[in-house]
C-alpha cells in the first residue's frame, strides 16, 4: 500500500490513476517524520474493510526528543465540519470514494491553501462511515510546543485571513450541497413588547476566583450609562473566600445568587439562574470572573448596538492580556471574518463568536443554556444566529486576562478532545436542525405552489 504526501486534489488523483489501482491508500497531511508500527498497514486496512469506511485514522504518539506522549483522536461526527479537525498526519482513504468525490471539484476547492483536503473530506463524509481507530499505531515527531491557550486563536490571527476566507468559501459550498445553508432574512427584535425594570444586567458566574472576582465586579459597577443596570453574580458554591469577598461589596446594584453544591451547575446552569431571575434586565451581558471591561463605556456600547440593529445578540471584540493588562499575542480578537451575509453559516465552521456576548433576555429564557462549563455560549450563539440578527462591535471593549488559573490556559490533549467533541456535538445538532428547517420551508413552499 502506498503512502502519498498530500499536496492537492489534482496531484492525488494523478498519483492514484498512474499506479496500480488499490482499494486504499495512505495520505500524509503534513511533513512530520513518522515511524509506523509493524502492524500499521495490516490493521488499518483490515478495519477499513470491515467497517467499509471512506476515511480511517487512528491514535498516534508524539516523540519529543525521546520522550513519548500519547495523542488520542476523537470520533468524527456529522457536525465535525470545522476545518481544523485532527485526523493526525496519516489517514487511510478509500480510493474509489476519492475519485468520485473529487471528480467535479472546482475552484475554490482545488486552489485552496490546504490543497483541497477540507473540501475533499467534507464530500467524502456525506453518507459514509469515517472510522477513528482507538489504537496507537504510529509515532510522529513533535514540532508544536505551544500551550492550548496559545493555539486556540490561530483561526482569527490576521496572518491567516487568506486561509480562512478560502475555507469559508469551501464550507459554504458544502452547506449549499447538504441543505444546511441558512439564507432567509434574520429576524429583528421588538424590544418594546417586553417590560423590564432594568435595562441591562451584567452576568458573572463564579466559582473560587477570590483573586479576580473583585476586579470583575468593580469593572462592571464602574460602567457609565444613561439607563439603569445591575450586576448579577452567580456564586457556584465557592469555598476559597469568594463569597465572603462579594458580601463585603456594598452596592445596591450588586445581586448575588447563591448556588448550593447539590444543584450540580456548570457555567451554563449558572447563566440560566441569572437569566430566569426576576432581577435580570432586558439585555444580559457576559463578564467572566477573571476578566474586566476595557473601559466604562462597554455596557453602553452594547446596549446601543441592540437598539440600533434590533438584534437578538451582540458580540464584542476583546484583547488578550496578561494579569497586569499588558497585551499579549495575538492581542485583539475581533472576528472580522464575520459578515452579515454569511456569518451565521460560517460560525458552524469556527470555534467561537467572540466576547463579550450579550443577549436579548426573552430569547435566552425561551432557549436556555446547556448545563455545561465549556461550549455553553457557543451553543446559545449558534441557536440564536439561526433565526436572529447578530450585532457586532469590532473595537476592543473587553480584556481577557491570561494567567495560570485560567481554565483553558494549558489543557491536556484529553481535555482538548473533550471540548472539541462537545462542540462537534453542538454543531451536529445545529446542522441537523438547519437542514430540517430548510426542508420544512421547502415543503411549505411546494404545498403553496400546488
Amino acid at each position: 500500500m502506498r503512502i502519498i504526501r498530500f499536496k492537492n486534489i489534482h496531484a492525488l488523483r494523478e498519483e492514484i490513476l498512474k499506479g496500480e489501482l488499490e482499494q486504499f491508500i495512505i495520505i500524509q497531511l503534513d511533513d512530520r517524520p513518522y515511524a509506523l508500527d509493524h502492524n500499521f498497514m495490516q490493521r488499518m486496512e483490515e478495519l477499513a474493510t470491515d467497517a467499509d469506511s471512506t476515511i480511517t485514522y487512528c491514535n498516534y504518539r508524539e516523540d519529543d526528543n525521546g520522550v513519548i506522549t500519547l495523542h488520542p483522536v476523537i470520533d468524527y461526527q456529522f457536525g465535525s465540519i470545522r476545518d481544523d479537525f485532527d485526523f493526525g498526519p496519516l489517514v487511510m482513504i478509500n480510493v474509489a470514494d476519492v475519485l468520485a468525490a473529487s471528480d467535479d471539484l472546482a475552484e475554490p476547492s482545488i486552489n485552496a491553501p490546504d490543497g483541497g483536503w477540507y473540501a475533499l473530506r467534507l464530500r467524502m463524509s456525506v453518507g459514509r462511515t469515517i472510522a477513528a481507530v482507538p489504537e496507537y499505531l504510529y509515532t510522529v515527531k513533535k514540532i508544536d510546543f505551544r500551550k492550548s491557550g496559545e493555539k486556540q486563536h490561530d483561526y482569527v490571527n490576521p496572518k491567516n485571513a487568506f486561509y480562512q476566507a478560502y475555507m469559508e468559501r469551501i464550507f459554504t459550498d458544502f452547506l449549499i450541497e447538504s441543505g444546511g445553508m441558512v439564507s432567509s432574512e434574520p429576524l429583528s427584535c421588538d424590544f418594546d413588547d417586553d417590560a423590564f425594570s432594568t435595562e441591562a444586567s451584567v452576568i458573572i458566574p463564579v466559582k473560587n476566583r477570590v483573586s479576580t472576582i473583585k476586579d470583575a465586579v468593580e469593572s462592571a459597577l464602574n460602567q457609565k450609562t444613561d439607563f439603569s443596570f445591575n450586576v448579577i453574580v452567580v456564586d457556584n458554591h465557592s469555598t476559597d473566600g469568594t463569597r465572603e469577598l462579594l458580601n463585603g461589596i456594598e452596592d445596591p446594584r450588586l445581586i448575588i445568587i447563591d448556588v448550593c453544591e447539590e444543584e450540580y451547575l456548570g457555567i451554563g446552569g449558572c447563566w440560566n439562574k441569572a437569566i430566569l431571575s426576576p432581577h435580570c434586565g432586558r439585555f444580559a451581558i457576559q463578564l467572566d470572573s477573571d476578566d474586566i471591561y476595557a473601559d466604562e463605556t462597554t455596557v453602553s456600547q452594547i446596549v446601543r448596538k441592540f437598539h440600533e440593529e434590533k438584534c437578538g445578540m451582540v458580540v464584542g471584540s476583546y484583547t488578550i492580556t496578561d494579569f497586569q493588562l499588558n497585551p499579549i499575542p495575538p492581542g485583539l480578537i475581533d472576528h472580522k471574518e464575520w459578515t452579515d451575509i454569511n456569518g451565521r453559516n460560517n460560525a458552524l465552521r469556527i470555534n467561537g463568536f467572540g466576547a463579550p456576548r450579550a443577549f436579548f433576555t426573552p430569547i435566552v429564557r425561551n432557549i436556555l443554556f446547556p448545563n455545561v462549563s465549556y461550549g455553553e455560549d457557543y451553543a446559545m450563539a449558534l441557536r440564536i444566529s439561526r433565526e436572529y440578527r447578530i450585532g457586532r462591535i469590532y473595537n476592543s471593549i473587553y480584556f481577557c486576562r491570561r494567567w495560570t488559573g485560567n481554565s483553558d490556559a494549558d489543557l491536556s490533549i484529553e481535555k482538548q478532545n473533550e471540548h472539541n467533541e462537545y462542540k462537534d456535538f453542538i454543531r451536529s445538532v445545529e446542522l441537523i436542525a438547519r437542514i430540517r428547517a430548510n426542508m420544512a420551508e421547502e415543503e411549505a413552499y411546494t404545498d403553496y405552489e400546488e
Side-chain angles (χ1 to χ4, degrees):
M1 187 185 305
R2 288 178 288 170
I3 298 180
I4 300 173
R5 174 64 173 95
F6 183 83
K7 296 178 180 177
N8 57 64
I9 295 173
H10 282 175
L12 178 62
R13 287 178 60 89
E14 290 177 1
E15 189 70 26
I16 289 172
L17 295 172
K18 77 178 183 182
E20 182 179 344
L21 206 58
E22 304 171 89
Q23 184 177 5
F24 302 105
I25 58 171
I26 303 289
I27 58 171
Q28 182 183 0
L29 296 176
D30 62 39
D31 291 321
R32 283 179 285 177
Y34 61 85
L36 304 180
D37 291 10
H38 72 279
N39 64 331
F40 173 86
M41 292 292 189
Q42 179 181 346
R43 183 62 173 152
M44 290 285 282
E45 185 172 8
E46 178 184 78
L47 291 167
T49 301
D50 288 346
D52 190 26
S53 55
T54 187
I55 297 174
T56 310
Y57 59 105
C58 65
N59 294 346
Y60 59 98
R61 312 174 199 89
E62 290 186 299
D63 182 355
D64 177 9
N65 293 320
V67 178
I68 303 297
T69 56
L70 300 180
H71 191 113
V73 296
I74 61 175
D75 286 331
Y76 194 97
Q77 302 178 56
F78 182 64
S80 297
I81 45 183
R82 51 194 166 90
D83 54 75
D84 64 349
F85 186 88
D86 180 18
F87 292 94
L90 298 178
V91 180
M92 176 175 284
I93 51 179
N94 183 296
V95 169
D97 291 343
V98 171
L99 296 176
S102 62
D103 184 53
D104 62 343
L105 277 176
E107 204 279 330
S109 301
I110 59 175
N111 294 317
D114 70 340
W117 165 243
Y118 183 46
L120 179 62
R121 61 97 161 171
L122 285 177
R123 276 200 167 188
M124 291 179 67
S125 70
V126 177
R128 293 300 310 273
T129 298
I130 295 183
V133 180
E135 302 170 17
Y136 296 90
L137 296 176
Y138 65 99
T139 303
V140 298
K141 188 73 174 176
K142 185 172 183 177
I143 59 174
D144 191 345
F145 297 93
R146 294 177 298 164
K147 296 179 180 179
S148 60
E150 298 171 305
K151 292 186 283 188
Q152 69 177 4
H153 294 108
D154 283 352
Y155 68 102
V156 289
N157 192 319
K159 72 178 183 180
N160 296 326
F162 177 76
Y163 175 89
Q164 292 300 329
Y166 250 105
M167 295 303 106
E168 178 177 357
R169 292 169 69 187
I170 291 169
F171 181 60
T172 300
D173 288 345
F174 168 76
L175 284 181
I176 293 171
E177 290 176 5
S178 63
M181 183 81 170
V182 177
S183 56
S184 59
E185 187 70 19
L187 301 175
S188 297
C189 296
D190 186 351
F191 304 132
D192 295 329
D193 284 351
D194 298 275
F196 288 86
S197 59
T198 302
E199 181 74 353
S201 293
V202 176
I203 309 298
I204 310 177
V206 64
K207 183 179 179 68
N208 294 338
R209 283 290 187 265
V210 69
S211 62
T212 61
I213 186 60
K214 186 177 180 181
D215 291 343
V217 170
E218 289 181 346
S219 168
L221 292 173
N222 287 337
Q223 294 295 295
K224 303 298 184 184
T225 69
D226 58 4
F227 50 81
S228 62
F229 75 94
N230 59 26
V231 179
I232 302 176
V233 177
V234 184
D235 180 26
N236 196 2
H237 190 65
S238 292
T239 58
D240 68 342
T242 292
R243 182 57 188 270
E244 290 76 12
L245 188 153
L246 289 169
N247 288 338
I249 300 175
E250 297 182 3
D251 192 310
R253 296 172 298 168
L254 177 61
I255 297 163
I256 303 172
I257 298 177
D258 189 33
V259 175
C260 67
E261 189 174 13
E262 290 74 22
E263 292 183 77
Y264 305 109
L265 296 189
I267 293 174
C270 290
W271 259 93
N272 292 338
K273 292 276 282 191
I275 287 288
L276 296 173
S277 165
H279 299 290
C280 190
R282 188 185 318 276
F283 305 113
I285 305 172
Q286 168 247 342
L287 178 58
D288 286 352
S289 58
D290 45 9
D291 297 333
I292 65 173
Y293 291 142
D295 60 34
E296 60 190 20
T297 70
T298 293
V299 168
S300 290
Q301 290 187 61
I302 290 171
V303 171
R304 183 165 60 250
K305 178 63 69 171
F306 271 113
H307 285 288
E308 287 174 351
E309 300 190 11
K310 305 298 182 184
C311 40
M313 177 179 174
V314 170
V315 185
S317 299
Y318 61 97
T319 300
I320 299 180
T321 74
D322 61 21
F323 198 76
Q324 288 73 39
L325 303 183
N326 300 304
I328 58 177
L332 176 65
I333 306 296
D334 55 15
H335 282 274
K336 282 194 174 179
E337 80 286 342
W338 177 275
T339 64
D340 288 335
I341 295 175
N342 201 42
R344 55 192 177 143
N345 291 302
N346 191 44
L348 280 165
R349 180 184 65 87
I350 61 178
N351 255 344
F353 276 69
R357 297 163 293 277
F359 312 94
F360 180 37
T361 298
I363 293 177
V364 182
R365 283 177 172 170
N366 186 52
I367 300 171
L368 295 182
F369 289 86
N371 184 31
V372 294
S373 291
Y374 178 83
E376 76 290 336
D377 51 347
Y378 184 64
M380 178 61 72
L382 280 179
R383 177 62 185 85
I384 292 175
S385 70
R386 189 198 314 167
E387 298 181 69
Y388 293 92
R389 187 177 307 281
I390 307 296
R392 305 296 305 223
I393 298 174
Y394 292 110
N395 58 290
S396 180
I397 60 174
Y398 189 94
F399 290 147
C400 179
R401 298 197 290 185
R402 282 284 178 262
W403 59 296
T404 55
N406 277 135
S407 57
D408 59 354
D410 187 16
L411 301 179
S412 67
I413 184 60
E414 290 78 13
K415 181 58 71 172
Q416 293 177 59
N417 282 348
E418 179 185 325
H419 287 178
N420 284 326
E421 199 163 34
Y422 182 70
K423 279 196 172 180
D424 284 354
F425 164 74
I426 292 299
R427 292 183 180 95
S428 298
V429 173
E430 185 61 30
L431 182 56
I432 291 170
R434 294 183 182 199
I435 291 172
R436 292 183 65 212
N438 287 339
M439 291 174 63
E441 184 177 335
E442 185 175 337
E443 288 175 4
Y445 180 78
T446 301
D447 292 342
Y448 175 79
E449 288 287 291
E450 293 175 352

